Amino acid sequence: DIQMTQSPSSVSASVGDRVTITCRASQGISSWLAWYQQKPGKAPKLLIYAASSLQSGVPSRFSGSGSGTDFTLTISSLQPEDFATYYCQQANSFPTFGGGTKVEIK
Amino acid sequence: QVQLVESGGGVVQPGRSLRLSCAASGFTFSSYGMHWVRQAPGKGLEWVAVIWYDGSNKYYADSVKGRFTISRDNSKNTLYLQMNSLRAEDTAVYYCARDLVEMATILSLTDYWGQGTLVTVSS
């Protein structure tokens, strides 16, 4: 199985801050990676697919980059509704998720 | 709009069985592969199983292989997960999710997810 390692596991930030979350795959996955946002009690919501493609309806402050083993999700200017947990997922092999990054209010 | 609605969760004793359903609407169900993903209380996401759009291929996580069976009825726009020999560690919210790619013949990422159904395995 391909292991996905996310960092940090949590981050405290303020509204307007730039936030960067990284995800590292244990082996190359090309660009077959997605980022999801999950709020408490809700289902995950797709933000980014194929490493850098923005899902329809998702604000442009979210962006993704990377290929191979190292990937990044960036929120350019954190908004109040962005406080949530974020997961990366690969599907180059049997799908696996990163451990999650909780974005908390500073 | 795409809607996925899971049902069938509940409290079940260890060793017993349960069948989950996922009713799909708002898209051509028979054109999309479907996944089950679970989340134990307070934990992260764990992929469980996938079935191809036409039911021709099914794959499982090692943690459920031999105990769980994914299936679909394209005439009823419904996905199923038959869970046998349940264990305490199967306690989780179970989500169904749609393939990102229509008529995918490779493993795919997911786009739309249902709201989930809680399965609690306890004596």
Side-chain angles (χ1 to χ4, degrees):
Chain A
D1 287 3
I2 297 176
Q3 309 301 318
M4 305 300 292
T5 303
Q6 263 184 258
S7 61
S9 56
S10 66
V11 57
S12 295
S14 301
V15 172
D17 284 354
R18 182 182 183 90
V19 173
T20 299
I21 300 168
T22 63
C23 188
R24 174 164 288 176
S26 60
Q27 62 189 76
I29 59 170
S30 184
S31 296
W32 211 218
L33 180 116
W35 291 97
Y36 300 88
Q37 176 194 67
Q38 187 180 33
K39 296 181 178 179
K42 300 293 187 182
K45 172 187 173 184
L46 177 65
L47 302 175
I48 302 285
Y49 63 94
S52 59
S53 296
L54 192 68
Q55 174 69 344
S56 176
V58 174
S60 59
R61 63 181 179 273
F62 291 94
S63 64
S65 65
S67 67
T69 60
D70 293 307
F71 300 87
T72 300
L73 172 71
T74 300
I75 309 171
S76 60
S77 178
L78 199 64
Q79 298 301 300
E81 60 268 29
D82 300 337
F83 292 97
T85 301
Y86 294 84
Y87 293 93
C88 61
Q89 182 205 18
Q90 66 80 24
N92 190 69
S93 176
F94 293 120
T96 48
F97 292 88
T101 297
K102 188 173 184 179
V103 177
E104 299 174 300
I105 301 172
K106 193 171 187 179
Chain B
Q1 71 284 18
V2 173
Q3 271 203 307
L4 299 168
V5 180
E6 302 93 338
S7 61
V11 180
V12 60
Q13 293 179 326
R16 303 300 291 265
S17 299
L18 204 61
R19 188 177 83 155
L20 305 183
S21 299
C22 169
S25 61
F27 66 102
T28 304
F29 180 71
S30 59
S31 294
Y32 286 85
M34 297 294 296
H35 301 248
W36 286 100
V37 178
R38 67 185 181 183
Q39 186 169 37
K43 302 296 184 183
L45 300 166
E46 179 189 16
W47 175 79
V48 172
V50 62
I51 184 168
W52 258 220
Y53 68 97
D54 58 359
S56 60
N57 282 295
K58 306 173 186 180
Y59 298 101
Y60 300 90
D62 286 344
S63 57
V64 307
K65 200 175 296 181
R67 300 188 299 122
F68 290 11
T69 302
I70 190 171
S71 62
R72 65 190 297 156
D73 186 337
N74 284 345
S75 68
K76 295 182 178 179
N77 291 345
T78 303
L79 173 73
Y80 302 101
L81 185 68
Q82 177 67 42
M83 304 185 294
N84 298 333
S85 303
L86 282 162
R87 306 167 180 167
E89 54 265 35
D90 296 319
T91 294
V93 173
Y94 285 74
Y95 296 100
C96 62
R98 190 185 81 164
D99 259 359
L100 175 68
V101 177
E102 189 174 7
M103 302 184 84
T105 54
I106 58 171
L107 290 165
S108 176
L109 299 168
T110 56
D111 53 7
Y112 292 94
W113 294 50
Q115 85 289 349
T117 188
L118 176 62
V119 173
T120 302
V121 183
S122 173
S123 54

